[in-house]
Amino acid sequence: FIVPPLPDASLPSKTIITVLAQLIAIAPHLPNIKMKLSVEDLLFILFMDIPSMVITPWPELEEVIITWKCHLDIGYTHPVPEVIEKYRTGDMDQILAMFEKTKDAPEEERFRWLLPAWAMDLVLDDQQTPERRAKLEEAVRQQRLIWQAMPYTLETEAADVEEIVRGLSFGSQLSRRFGFPLPTHAKQTDMPEQAWALPTILSHAGVNFLHIGANSGSKPDSEWDKIPTLSWWEGPDGSRILLGFSKEYGWESITPPKGWRHKTWLAYFVRGDNAGPPSPQTVQSILAKAREALPGVKVRFGYPSEFAEAILAEEKANPTLPVIRGDMPNTWVHGQMSSPEPTKIHRQATAALVTLGQLDSTLQAFGVATEPVAGPLDLGYRNGGFYTEHTWGINGLYFRGEKLYQ
């Protein structure tokens, strides 16, 4: 078996090495076949560009999509009014400044930012200054500022199913306001698990991808491998969503994990609790690292929905992802049951809201005139939903200072 003379260096070295490696691998299994290489060919192989000869751990990788957000705590780092003010003013000014700095960059290098739907609704509300709101709305239209389907991080086991569904209205109302399709991706951060109802609820709401980024201190190291990095999570009714999972807040690496077999990777950078956007220097450093570590791979800013579309197309052609069928009992729901009396009130109130809605629908079906209940129901679900938001208490650093806290 004779390898023909190797072409000049214009042929990618990786291709040449791959062919040779395959020939060498099969040679022992073919005793009647010999391999011949000229001295010139061997010298060419030995002295070709070494970096290009390195076999990548991600041979299928073609594109990396970068998404930035920060973890939302409605409380914890500061009292709630201070968190709201920070998001509405200072954080938005920083994000707008990042948009301005990169507005003339190539499309794929223009900074983008992702918010939970409730936070997006907050920063655009009637308490926002007209000037800042106009700039934010323009950023939304340019799809440089966008929201995900979930309003905030929930302790879903503490919520009523109707309450979770109503929480998706923040995102759907924003979509109608701007004429966008409904969001198809969702994010939950800090909480390590969510209730089994969630994939069913999200799937029926048009969401096809959920990323759970846990708090790394929420369970022992031996537990992390029980949930794959990427899988299908199948709900009780058989509906499925893509599930991305990490023991950190995001997939905070520009390169995929070893053994990643997909053409697309989502570099999901999630800043710390209410931390706001990264510095321009941090973003540029990551882009530079990407260019060095991923030659030939397209790297761009984007959103989780684009990653999901790419993975779904692969799965349609060749299904490879494992399927998780079951509940994820939350190992970190401490808040509600540390406050039994308020929890009792919340549970009674959510049941009463459901009953009110059903009673109103029944009476209208029989032609009985009733007082409008849509407004009170909406307000009740919006306010009640905050009780299932995952933040409980406040960081001791806020009151006592770092040294005393340590």
Side-chain angles (χ1 to χ4, degrees), residues 1 15 20 46 49 62 77 93 101 107 119 177 181 189 191 200-201 226 235 239 251 267 270 290 330 338 356 369 392:
F1 190 91
T15 301
L20 289 173
L46 290 173
D49 183 31
E62 297 178 358
T77 62
D93 289 339
K101 284 180 182 292
E107 178 69 24
R177 174 176 173 179
T189 312
M191 302 301 298
T200 292
I201 294 170
K226 291 184 178 180
S239 55
W251 283 333
V270 182
N330 196 338
S338 69
L356 175 60
W392 283 80

Side-chain angles (χ1 to χ4, degrees), residues 340-378:
E341 286 295 325
T343 296
K344 179 185 75 172
I345 294 170
H346 172 254
R347 291 182 177 179
Q348 291 174 340
T350 54
L353 287 169
V354 171
T355 301
L356 175 60
Q358 292 173 339
L359 178 61
D360 180 67
S361 297
T362 302
L363 291 174
Q364 289 193 42
F366 282 98
V368 179
T370 63
E371 292 290 328
V373 301
L377 278 176
D378 182 64

Side-chain angles (χ1 to χ4, degrees), residues 49-67:
D49 183 31
I50 295 301
S52 66
M53 292 172 60
V54 176
I55 304 301
T56 173
W58 323 285
E60 305 298 327
L61 188 65
E62 297 178 358
E63 183 178 49
V64 173
I65 297 172
I66 302 174
T67 293

Side-chain angles (χ1 to χ4, degrees), residues 218-278:
S218 60
K219 55 173 129 181
D221 289 342
S222 59
E223 293 291 306
W224 290 113
D225 292 337
K226 291 184 178 180
I227 304 176
T229 301
L230 187 64
S231 63
W232 289 103
W233 190 10
E234 185 174 285
D237 67 340
S239 55
R240 294 180 179 181
I241 57 171
L242 283 175
L243 174 66
F245 187 82
S246 171
K247 70 175 182 178
E248 306 292 343
Y249 278 3
W251 283 333
E252 302 188 28
S253 172
I254 198 67
T255 56
K258 189 176 180 180
W260 185 258
R261 298 180 179 181
H262 304 281
K263 296 179 181 179
T264 307
W265 167 246
L266 177 64
Y268 211 152
F269 293 100
V270 182
R271 300 262 292 157
D273 307 344
N274 300 328

Side-chain angles (χ1 to χ4, degrees), residues 15 24 62 101 124 128 131 133-134 143 227 238 246 293 302 306 359 384 401:
T15 301
I24 292 169
E62 297 178 358
K101 284 180 182 292
L124 294 173
Q128 182 60 275
E131 180 183 4
R133 187 190 305 112
Q143 297 196 32
I227 304 176
S246 171
E306 298 171 289
L359 178 61

Side-chain angles (χ1 to χ4, degrees), residues 73-88:
D73 276 325
I74 308 180
Y76 185 66
T77 62
H78 303 80
V80 173
E82 293 183 27
V83 171
I84 290 174
E85 182 67 13
K86 181 178 186 295
Y87 267 78
R88 188 181 280 132

Side-chain angles (χ1 to χ4, degrees), residues 270-328:
V270 182
R271 300 262 292 157
D273 307 344
N274 300 328
S279 68
Q281 294 78 12
T282 298
V283 175
Q284 289 304 313
S285 173
I286 288 173
L287 289 174
K289 181 180 178 182
R291 286 190 285 267
E292 179 182 351
L294 300 167
V297 175
K298 182 179 181 180
V299 179
R300 65 179 179 90
F301 284 104
Y303 294 113
S305 56
E306 298 171 289
F307 165 78
E309 288 171 6
I311 298 298
L312 288 169
E314 289 185 20
E315 280 292 286
K316 185 176 181 180
N318 180 30
T320 61
L321 293 176
V323 179
I324 296 176
R325 299 179 179 89
D327 200 2
M328 296 184 187

